[in-house]
Amino acid sequence: MTEDPPLEDISLPSEAYIALRCDLLVIGDSIITDRHHASGGNYDPTDPANQIGGTIPSFSLSGWLRHGMERAIQRRGGTACHPGEANANFKKSDVYERDLEDGYHPKGACRERGTPCLLAELFGELGGPPGTLLRRPIRFSPVRSAVTYEDGEAEGHYRRLSRHIASRNRDDGRQSLRSVELDAVANLDGTWYLHFREPSPASFGLLAAAVDFLAERRMDFMHQLGGARNNGAGIIEPTLCNPLYSTRELRRVFNRSRKPTAAMDEADEEWADTVRPACEKALQTRIDATDMEATDA
Ligand SMILES: [Zn+2]
């Protein structure tokens, strides 16, 4: 493991929370609901009054975050670990080589040289050591008071949407040819809980940089989340919750009737003026160290 520059007096937690807001999230059919608990056999998935909660798996979120981290590393002059195996059966034969000329190094090549890059360290590799960044699914509930933000939960309203593909032939009178059912969560508002098994200033620097990038690019198709994105879904507004907040302070962020305390303002200042820049610096040092070896090799 690479040593980060000593950052005395700065202690970073192992938990990180990304506050997420999204008007409409559609991630294929992979939203898992708890309707079998709540329905009592009378569940109507299209009823606006249903009280269905559920789980958003972390797979899509994880890919979305990783993509942001790759860009953050490339913007700082480094190359990112390619997410795919070199011998994978890509649909376009030259895609891997093309990526390698465009800001990526072969997956795991960094580890073979001795120092895994941050992406390899955080996300791990198939058949290699597991990643050190644990990404949890998000539990959502339509009942705001039932949401525990410090456990990575969110307010969200589940609906099953039905869409019909209508015939274009005038004689058919817009007869439905086919119907499609989609799982969707609307008005998502809450936290995504991440856990660093080995928290370091560089990894917090990378997380903060990636979240900023994803927030800035949220209207780009490439950086939206999940399927059905052409229909306005998947536009996520992410914010990294101040890692210096206590659990009580984190809860307060989501309490609409409370304003930040003076201590929270102070913590915000400390994060912005001291800790975040130190994490940025550690990130840059780590990127330069990993990529220097790439050029030497
Ligand atoms: Zn790598």
Side-chain angles (χ1 to χ4, degrees):
M1 299 284 138
T2 318
E3 286 290 314
D4 290 308
L7 291 162
E8 286 92 13
D9 309 331
I10 293 175
S11 72
L12 289 161
S14 49
E15 301 87 38
Y17 296 91
I18 300 180
L20 296 176
R21 298 178 79 125
C22 182
D23 291 339
L24 183 64
L25 184 64
V26 178
I27 39 178
D29 54 358
S30 60
I31 293 166
I32 300 153
T33 63
D34 61 4
R35 65 186 121 171
H36 54 292
H37 296 304
S39 62
N42 301 314
Y43 173 66
D44 172 4
T46 56
D47 180 358
N50 78 46
Q51 296 284 293
I52 300 308
T55 302
I56 300 162
S58 54
F59 306 109
S60 305
L61 290 159
S62 189
W64 167 78
L65 177 64
R66 179 179 175 129
H67 200 176
M69 287 182 163
E70 291 170 4
R71 287 287 178 272
I73 289 175
Q74 290 162 344
R75 278 183 156 191
R76 284 160 181 76
T79 57
C81 235
H82 199 281
E85 306 292 334
N87 57 3
N89 193 4
F90 291 107
K91 282 185 181 167
K92 281 170 96 74
S93 57
D94 61 344
V95 70
Y96 197 75
E97 284 69 31
R98 208 180 47 198
D99 283 351
L100 295 185
E101 287 163 16
D102 193 24
Y104 288 88
H105 59 257
K107 182 176 201 170
C110 46
R111 193 183 297 277
E112 279 163 29
R113 278 194 311 267
T115 315
C117 70
L118 260 179
L119 285 170
E121 184 185 311
L122 295 174
F123 289 86
E125 294 141 63
L126 275 178
T132 58
L133 176 64
L134 308 182
R135 289 91 69 194
R136 284 236 301 248
I138 298 177
R139 284 189 52 79
F140 66 89
S141 161
V143 183
R144 194 175 178 86
S145 57
V147 174
T148 316
Y149 294 96
E150 65 269 31
D151 288 344
E153 296 184 354
E155 181 184 354
H157 302 262
Y158 170 78
R159 293 292 180 273
R160 170 153 281 195
L161 308 178
S162 296
R163 291 150 65 221
H164 290 278
I165 317 291
S167 168
R168 261 57 174 170
N169 193 315
R170 192 174 304 207
D171 297 340
D172 292 345
R174 291 196 56 78
Q175 186 189 356
S176 176
L177 296 177
R178 188 164 80 89
S179 68
V180 184
E181 300 244 295
L182 279 178
D183 281 337
V185 180
N187 306 321
L188 188 76
D189 185 8
T191 56
W192 185 26
Y193 174 92
L194 301 166
H195 178 91
F196 289 107
R197 280 195 290 171
E198 293 161 19
S200 72
S203 36
F204 266 94
L206 182 58
L207 180 63
V211 170
D212 280 359
F213 176 84
L214 290 167
E216 190 185 299
R217 296 297 185 91
R218 65 183 182 276
M219 303 306 277
D220 281 8
F221 187 77
M222 283 285 278
H223 297 289
Q224 292 170 10
L225 180 66
R229 295 181 291 183
N230 294 326
N231 297 314
I235 300 168
I236 300 260
E237 282 177 56
T239 325
L240 180 65
C241 297
N242 188 338
L244 307 177
Y245 282 170
S246 68
T247 306
R248 274 180 68 176
E249 289 171 335
L250 178 79
R251 273 202 294 264
R252 201 176 169 105
V253 171
F254 295 92
N255 187 334
R256 286 170 185 163
S257 64
R258 298 286 184 93
K259 289 205 165 89
T261 61
M264 286 166 79
D265 289 341
E266 250 170 60
D268 286 349
E269 224 167 84
E270 193 188 346
W271 168 249
D273 297 347
T274 320
V275 183
R276 169 95 201 251
C279 291
E280 263 297 331
K281 214 171 145 216
L283 170 64
Q284 191 65 58
T285 308
R286 175 72 188 262
I287 291 171
D288 294 347
T290 323
D291 261 80
M292 202 115 77
E293 283 170 38
T295 348
D296 291 349

